[in-house]
Amino acid sequence: MEPARGSVKNRIRQLRFERGEMTQQELAERIGVSRQTVNAIEGGKYAPSLEVAFRIALVFAVPLEAVFQFDPDAR
Amino acid sequence: MMSSQAVTREPRPGASFEERSVWIQLVGVALALGAYFVVAGWMLASGITILPAFAGVFVVAVVLLVAILVGGHLVAALVGRPEPADVRDHEIEWRAESRTGWILATGVIGAIGALVVAVEPVWVAHLLLLSLYLSELARLGLQLVYYRRGI
């Protein structure tokens, strides 16, 4: 079996900017995680659970795919 | 829509309370149990093979471990606001545990094998303790790798 490829990209930094420079701390408090976790998600170092992903989308009032995109060719 | 270049990048936050806690546990286990193994190794080399003779050294190591953990967490709480573990912390711990559990399992199987061939209890006990020590060091170390490198 071939190893799985692809990675999850996100637009959280852009969306925070568009919401009046919402800070990572503010987003973290609204979705119930630490600021370090938001930083890790934003930097692509941590793919969040579906529940956390939905909470982030809910904060920005956008569909899930407007926040997260799957790039099947990325390694 | 603003271009991504216009978006300000926030500075990378320092280590979370949970990550600091893992560092404290790693240092505590490495120092306290490491010191125990140095002393126990010396005792075994001197021909002491009565298990109760090691109890006092072990109690001192446990007291040292508790002191490092309590003191370390007090300092960590003063430096930064303590926060409960979140979903990422749990996932990091679970992943590290699932990748290092074999070390303890190997020690347990080895200890059973040692009992079968009638090895002295002092060696069996130390084999179990050593596998627990190595397993904990590996788990805590791997957790720190995951915190830094990402999962």
Side-chain angles (χ1 to χ4, degrees):
Chain A
M1 188 186 290
E2 256 188 63
R5 292 175 62 180
S7 73
V8 178
K9 310 278 183 198
N10 71 79
R11 294 181 57 244
I12 295 175
R13 191 179 300 143
Q14 182 76 33
L15 288 164
R16 284 197 299 110
F17 181 82
E18 290 168 10
R19 298 300 182 282
E21 297 270 16
M22 179 190 286
T23 63
Q24 289 181 341
Q25 183 64 44
E26 191 182 341
L27 177 60
E29 284 167 9
R30 290 180 69 175
I31 62 174
V33 299
S34 66
R35 187 193 157 197
Q36 286 80 6
T37 294
V38 167
N39 187 271
I41 295 170
E42 205 172 282
K45 285 186 166 184
Y46 172 59
S49 67
L50 205 51
E51 188 184 331
V52 171
F54 271 113
R55 282 198 213 140
I56 293 169
L58 205 62
V59 167
F60 293 124
V62 294
L64 193 61
E65 59 268 29
V67 186
F68 296 98
Q69 301 84 37
F70 183 69
D71 180 359
D73 297 321
R75 282 187 183 271
Chain B
M1 186 184 291
M2 305 296 278
S3 74
S4 58
Q5 280 75 19
V7 181
T8 52
R9 184 188 287 265
E10 281 193 45
R12 191 177 193 280
S16 65
F17 184 76
E18 282 299 312
E19 187 180 343
R20 288 198 192 108
S21 172
V22 173
W23 270 111
I24 294 161
Q25 290 172 59
L26 180 64
V27 170
V29 169
L31 286 183
L33 288 184
Y36 171 80
F37 280 112
V38 169
V39 176
W42 176 80
M43 289 170 74
L44 286 166
S46 306
I48 301 168
T49 54
I50 306 162
L51 199 50
F54 293 83
V57 184
F58 186 69
V59 168
V60 170
V62 171
V63 169
L64 179 62
L65 176 60
V66 171
I68 292 172
L69 293 182
V70 172
H73 282 92
L74 276 174
V75 171
L78 289 172
V79 170
R81 185 166 57 99
E83 282 180 307
D86 68 10
V87 62
R88 176 169 158 263
D89 298 311
H90 292 306
E91 196 172 328
I92 284 175
E93 188 179 359
W94 174 81
R95 278 201 194 204
E97 225 165 58
S98 71
R99 280 168 171 76
T100 56
W102 64 271
I103 300 171
L104 179 58
T106 304
V108 170
I109 299 294
I112 293 169
L115 284 173
V116 169
V117 296
V119 170
E120 282 185 275
V122 70
W123 292 105
V124 177
H126 281 97
L127 175 61
L128 284 171
L129 200 57
L130 183 65
S131 58
L132 178 65
Y133 175 63
L134 294 177
S135 165
E136 280 298 284
L137 286 184
R139 177 181 66 84
L140 294 165
L142 197 55
Q143 276 182 258
L144 292 173
V145 169
Y146 288 149
Y147 273 116
R148 295 286 103 191
R149 194 197 67 189
I151 53 173

